[in-house]
Amino acid sequence: MKSSYSRLQDAEILYNRILDISENYFVHDVIAEKDSFLREAEFLLRGVRGTDAVIGIFNHNSYTPVLEVGEKEFWGDLTEVAPEERMVQIMSLLDNNYTSFFTDSVQWFQETLAAIPFEQRVNVSIFHRGIRYVRLDDSPICLFSKGMPIHYDAKRNFTFTFNYVQNVHHLFKKEFPYYWIRIAYGANKEFVHTLHSADKKYSSKDLLSQREKEILKLIAEDFDTKEIAEKLYISATTVGHHRSNMIERMGARDTTALVQLAKMAEII
C-alpha cells in the first residue's frame, strides 16, 4: 500500500499534466470544449482512485466542482444533487465540532488573497489539514487537501484549481481538535500565509519556525537527537522540546507522522 506522501508525489506529476492540458482548453476564463477537457482529465486521474483519495477540478467563480474522480469511494454514495448544491452536501458531513470551518476559512481565504500583491500571485499552493468529516458509513475522515490554480484571470485571481484530497486520519492524534490552512506563493514559494484554528490568527509566518524546520529536516534525514544537537550547537533537551512542540502544533500522532505531514504541506 502506498503511503500518503508517495500518493501525493504521484499527484504532483498529475498536477503538471493537468496544467498542460488546461492551457489548450481555457478560453476567456471558462472551459471551452468542456467534455473533451473532462475526458482528458479523468483519464489522467484514474491512477489515484481509491477509498482514501479524491481528485477534482474546482470552479472558484461558481464555487462548484466541475470534475471529481473517486468521490463515491471517498465520501460514500451521496445522492445526486445539482452542481451548485454539491459543496453544501459535502459540508453536511462535517463533524459537529467543525461547523464554523466553512465560514471561517472562506473569510480568511478571501482576505488573504486580497492582501497578496499582483506580482507575488504565482506558484500558489493551498493546503488544508485536520478538518474532520464523517462518511455515510460513520467512518471518520481527517482531511488533507492541496489545491493548485490551473487558470487565472487578468488580475491573477485564480478561476479554476486542481485539488487533491486525502484522508490522513491515521496521521493525526484522535483528540486533536484543530485544523490549519497554509498558502505558499511567490516565484520560489518564499511567501506564506497561515491560519491555525487554535488561535484563529491570520499570520504571514509559517506554522513552524525556521529552527523547527532545521530540526525537522534533520529528523527526516534520520539523524538522532544527539546528532541534531551537535550539528545545531544546541542541547539534546532543546531538540526534544522543539520536537514535542512541533507534534503538538501540527497535531501529528508521532514523529514519523510529523515528518510526513510537513512534507505533504511543503513545509520541509
Side-chain angles (χ1 to χ4, degrees), residues 10-32:
D10 291 343
E12 289 283 358
I13 297 171
L14 291 174
Y15 287 146
N16 294 326
R17 292 180 181 176
I18 293 291
L19 183 60
D20 287 342
I21 69 168
S22 71
E23 292 176 351
N24 297 322
Y25 286 99
F26 283 102
V27 176
H28 303 304
D29 299 339
V30 298
I31 301 177

Side-chain angles (χ1 to χ4, degrees), residues 108 181 193-205 249:
W108 176 83
I181 309 174
H193 279 280
T194 61
L195 171 66
H196 197 296
S197 68
D199 49 33
K200 293 189 177 180
K201 290 182 179 178
Y202 300 8
S203 178
S204 57
K205 295 181 180 179
R249 178 71 169 164

Side-chain angles (χ1 to χ4, degrees), residues 112-127:
T112 296
L113 291 181
I116 298 176
F118 175 86
E119 63 275 9
Q120 295 177 5
R121 295 186 183 191
V122 292
N123 284 342
V124 179
S125 293
I126 308 134
F127 304 92

Side-chain angles (χ1 to χ4, degrees), residues 16 41 44 48 50 59 62 69 85 87 104 107 119 126 146 150-152 158 163 172-173 177 199 213 229 255:
N16 294 326
L44 291 174
V48 294
N59 183 336
S62 61
V69 176
E85 298 175 10
M87 292 309 299
D104 290 346
Q107 179 182 351
E119 63 275 9
I126 308 134
K146 176 180 177 180
I150 57 175
H151 186 264
Y152 295 84
F158 46 86
N163 300 307
F172 272 86
K173 293 179 180 179
D199 49 33
K213 290 180 185 180
T255 303

